[in-house]
Amino acid sequence: MNKFFLFFLLYLTIESLSAQTEKYFIFFKDKPVHDSLFQNPSSFLSEKAIERRERFNISIDTTDLPVNPSYVNSLQTLGINVWYTSHWLNGAYVSLNKQQLDTLSYFSFVKEYEAMESALAGGIMLDSTDYSNTFAQNKSIGITSMHQDDLTGKGISIAIFDSGFENTDQYLSEVDVSHTFDFVDNETDVYDDHDHGTQVLSILGAYQESSFIGSAYDANYFLYRTENIYSEYRIEEYNWLLAAEKADSLGVDIISNSLGYFDFDNPSQNYTQSDIGTEIALITKAAKWASEKGILVVTSVGNEGNGYWKNITFPSDAKGVLSVGAVNQEGVPANFTAYGFVTDSLTKPNVVAYGVQTKVINSRGNIASKNGTSYATPLVAGLVAGLMEEYPLVSPLEWIELIEKSSSHYLAPTSRIGYGIPDYQILRQEIEKEIVSIVPNSLLVYPTLIYNEEQLTIRSNFVADLMYIQVADVLGRVYLEGLYDYQKALEIPVVSDMPNTLIVKCWVNNQSFSQRVFLLKD
């Protein structure tokens, strides 16, 4: 073999190694923190995201602030492909080659990095009839009764994280889709991949009269592809986290997640049984962070009950997350529903719902029957969405507690079904009791989330001749005020020129009380 050929072969080998890229997450050491950023949160959060934080008294903190753009520019200058940035993790999701990887140590702003697929090298590894086909599943937890009460998810934003939403735009065109993004392929089109998300969305958002009615058909939806069905690496946990950040920034109220992880194509990335409940998994941390931002995360526990793993998957082990298992139409646990645990401080799954022979609409527009905790989850998410329409001030942790209290086995939870099957009527009663205990002055203002032009009602149970009511905006501009009979409900028409946030104040018996009302407009 001549020297030229050897040199050429070596050159090709080096070029091949140089061209080979892998996906990494690069963690930054710090981020710019300026008072001006906190004073102007609308520069990085939507109005609805800010209102959600105000509603639950959640402070805007450094995890909400964007990453340092100069760090991103420095990486891009080297030719590193920056797919996304994460303000929760304070870093960047990138693809790079071996040569570029070796240069990271020269950047003072790089704290560490983690391979998300099969590492090149190096890095620090971090640990009735209208319902027709859908009558049985909706009735099983009282959604049919909820719809009769005209609670259908109006004004509620639901994000679905899944493996694709194939042909949703064709066969579920009635669904109000506000935003889409494919975090696997870095594009906005989510309609050309897998149809698992199509099926999940149909359970929630479809409205095809006398054929198929979803649990929260008047909600608006955010469709995010985070799962690649052709491989399994921890990169999908990062996709999930980025989707959660996007959902948070756009003001989403509920995340419905039917994905779970525990083993990967790269065995070094596998989790162990002892990791359950420890918040080691990135996706578990991300779900917990989303909850702490005021988003209710509803997630399936997985279908590993009759497999070798048997137990719940990540992120369903997270505290502050509503984890859902599956039962059949008779309420018997499905053989595949994953096993959880019952401790003094935490029970998983939290609840169970109809997940055997659940009706869905698939990517061919056909109605099919499917089994899985994936299909029980959107039923529970829809139940909450309907009630959240009327009770928007209930926090994620309060929703979980109330749903557990409404369930069939609340007094005797088990590791297979948690607190059991939720019930809409009991849940509503529990909410009403909770409202009385949270608001001992018994001033009720409802609804506190108004979609387009509706009517605001104020009631009081005070013993007094009169009460003084004022309705104003956050700047103090008064829209209505005066003395009113405490025994009668005061009905106030909401008009289009009112601002997005109103403050209702009541003075009675030398005491004053106030309540915020949020207006959602098209």
Side-chain angles (χ1 to χ4, degrees):
M1 188 179 294
N2 64 48
K3 292 180 180 179
F4 173 78
F5 183 76
L6 280 172
F7 173 79
F8 183 65
L9 184 62
L10 179 62
Y11 172 79
L12 285 178
T13 304
I14 292 171
E15 281 295 294
S16 175
L17 286 171
S18 177
Q20 181 188 354
T21 63
E22 296 281 359
K23 294 190 174 95
Y24 277 76
F25 194 90
I26 300 173
F27 295 85
F28 300 148
K29 287 184 178 177
D30 52 34
K31 64 167 63 174
V33 179
H34 305 295
D35 290 342
S36 59
L37 287 171
F38 288 106
Q39 291 165 5
N40 185 29
S42 60
S43 64
F44 50 88
L45 290 172
S46 70
E47 184 176 352
K48 193 174 178 190
I50 295 169
E51 287 177 351
R52 171 160 43 75
R53 282 160 171 74
E54 290 176 349
R55 202 185 318 157
F56 298 127
N57 196 28
I58 297 171
S59 299
I60 293 173
D61 59 28
T62 55
T63 63
D64 295 309
L65 300 180
V67 302
N68 192 326
S70 67
Y71 296 168
V72 177
N73 290 339
S74 296
L75 296 176
Q76 291 172 327
T77 301
L78 270 185
I80 294 173
N81 183 14
V82 178
W83 285 55
Y84 314 107
T85 59
S86 165
H87 50 272
W88 289 0
L89 286 179
N90 188 28
Y93 169 150
V94 305
S95 57
L96 42 66
N97 58 36
K98 179 67 167 65
Q99 214 169 25
Q100 292 165 332
L101 181 70
D102 292 340
T103 65
L104 291 182
S105 60
Y106 296 107
F107 288 115
S108 61
F109 61 80
V110 172
K111 180 181 178 182
E112 56 197 19
Y113 52 91
E114 177 181 3
M116 297 191 291
E117 292 180 310
S118 56
L120 287 168
I124 300 173
M125 295 298 292
L126 305 179
D127 285 276
S128 185
T129 57
D130 285 342
Y131 291 86
S132 184
N133 295 284
T134 57
F135 180 75
Q137 63 203 50
N138 282 313
K139 188 176 185 297
S140 66
I141 56 176
I143 287 171
T144 50
S145 297
M146 183 177 79
H147 290 173
Q148 288 171 2
D149 290 340
D150 194 31
L151 298 176
T152 54
K154 292 182 289 293
I156 304 303
S157 298
I158 303 174
I160 300 177
F161 297 179
D162 221 296
S163 58
F165 302 85
E166 186 179 6
N167 294 336
T168 287
D169 51 339
Q170 294 182 45
Y171 298 117
L172 292 173
S173 58
E174 74 276 12
V175 177
D176 180 6
V177 177
S178 296
H179 191 251
T180 64
F181 200 80
D182 182 337
F183 289 89
V184 177
D185 290 333
N186 194 17
E187 61 183 18
T188 58
D189 187 2
V190 297
Y191 302 130
D192 60 348
D193 292 292
H194 196 236
D195 78 338
H196 189 272
T198 308
Q199 298 168 24
V200 170
L201 176 61
S202 69
I203 296 169
L204 270 162
Y207 188 87
Q208 299 178 9
E209 197 167 351
S210 300
S211 175
F212 199 105
I213 293 180
S215 55
Y217 55 80
D218 277 330
N220 59 93
Y221 289 90
F222 297 69
L223 309 181
Y224 296 143
R225 179 183 178 227
T226 66
E227 159 75 14
N228 181 357
I229 63 166
Y230 301 108
S231 63
E232 201 81 312
Y233 293 103
R234 285 197 184 179
I235 188 171
E236 289 161 320
E237 295 186 76
Y238 285 88
N239 293 341
W240 201 101
L241 174 134
L242 292 162
E245 289 188 15
K246 176 59 72 175
D248 172 43
S249 69
L250 294 177
V252 160
D253 302 296
I254 297 170
I255 291 172
S256 180
N257 171 62
S258 291
L259 304 170
Y261 300 94
F262 64 94
D263 65 354
F264 301 92
D265 292 348
N266 179 354
S268 69
Q269 296 180 346
N270 289 354
Y271 292 113
T272 66
Q273 303 279 356
S274 61
D275 294 330
I276 296 173
T278 63
E279 295 182 8
I280 283 177
L282 176 64
I283 195 171
T284 295
K285 294 175 183 175
K288 178 173 175 284
W289 292 335
S291 173
E292 290 171 351
K293 300 295 182 185
I295 301 172
L296 178 65
V297 180
V298 187
T299 186
S300 59
V301 297
N303 303 330
E304 305 302 322
N306 53 4
Y308 82 89
W309 177 263
K310 291 201 175 294
N311 294 321
I312 61 174
T313 57
F314 308 96
S316 64
D317 64 324
K319 294 178 181 177
V321 167
L322 183 58
S323 304
V324 183
V327 292
N328 65 17
Q329 191 169 350
E330 287 72 43
V332 177
N335 61 356
F336 55 77
T337 194
Y339 289 84
F341 53 85
V342 178
T343 68
D344 291 340
S345 60
L346 190 63
T347 293
K348 294 291 178 177
N350 299 89
V351 294
V352 289
Y354 197 119
V356 177
Q357 296 295 293
T358 309
K359 296 298 186 289
V360 303
I361 296 175
N362 62 26
S363 60
R364 295 176 296 282
N366 298 326
I367 295 173
S369 297
K370 291 288 183 175
N371 299 333
T373 58
S374 292
Y375 306 112
T377 299
L379 285 172
V380 176
L383 173 66
V384 181
L387 282 161
M388 192 178 282
E389 175 187 339
E390 186 160 350
Y391 304 104
L393 295 182
V394 178
S395 72
L397 292 180
E398 289 168 338
W399 276 120
I400 293 171
E401 183 179 353
L402 289 164
I403 290 166
E404 289 172 348
K405 285 182 177 179
S406 79
S407 298
S408 58
H409 288 64
Y410 178 63
L411 297 178
T414 73
S415 62
R416 204 77 196 282
I417 63 169
Y419 291 100
I421 304 169
D423 181 272
Y424 162 72
Q425 298 290 3
I426 298 174
L427 177 55
R428 188 157 192 173
Q429 292 168 14
E430 290 294 333
I431 295 171
E432 293 293 346
K433 283 195 293 185
E434 196 70 23
I435 284 177
V436 172
S437 64
I438 291 173
V439 191
N441 51 65
S442 297
L443 174 69
L444 299 182
V445 180
Y446 58 90
T448 51
L449 189 67
I450 297 175
Y451 185 69
N452 287 333
E453 296 183 23
E454 295 180 10
Q455 183 172 273
L456 182 65
T457 303
I458 302 172
R459 291 183 182 274
S460 171
N461 293 329
F462 291 108
V463 178
D465 293 331
L466 296 169
M467 60 180 178
Y468 189 86
I469 296 289
Q470 180 191 84
V471 179
D473 63 18
V474 292
L475 298 176
R477 291 177 294 211
V478 176
Y479 290 83
L480 178 146
E481 64 180 340
L483 288 166
Y484 298 92
D485 186 338
Y486 82 97
Q487 293 179 323
K488 297 178 180 178
L490 174 61
E491 296 177 344
I492 302 170
V494 175
V495 295
S496 59
D497 63 347
M498 284 183 170
N500 288 338
T501 304
L502 293 173
I503 299 176
V504 179
K505 292 184 178 179
C506 169
W507 290 266
V508 63
N509 290 344
N510 295 317
Q511 299 180 72
S512 65
F513 308 95
S514 66
Q515 174 67 65
R516 286 192 180 222
V517 176
F518 301 96
L519 311 184
L520 300 179
K521 303 174 183 178
D522 286 336

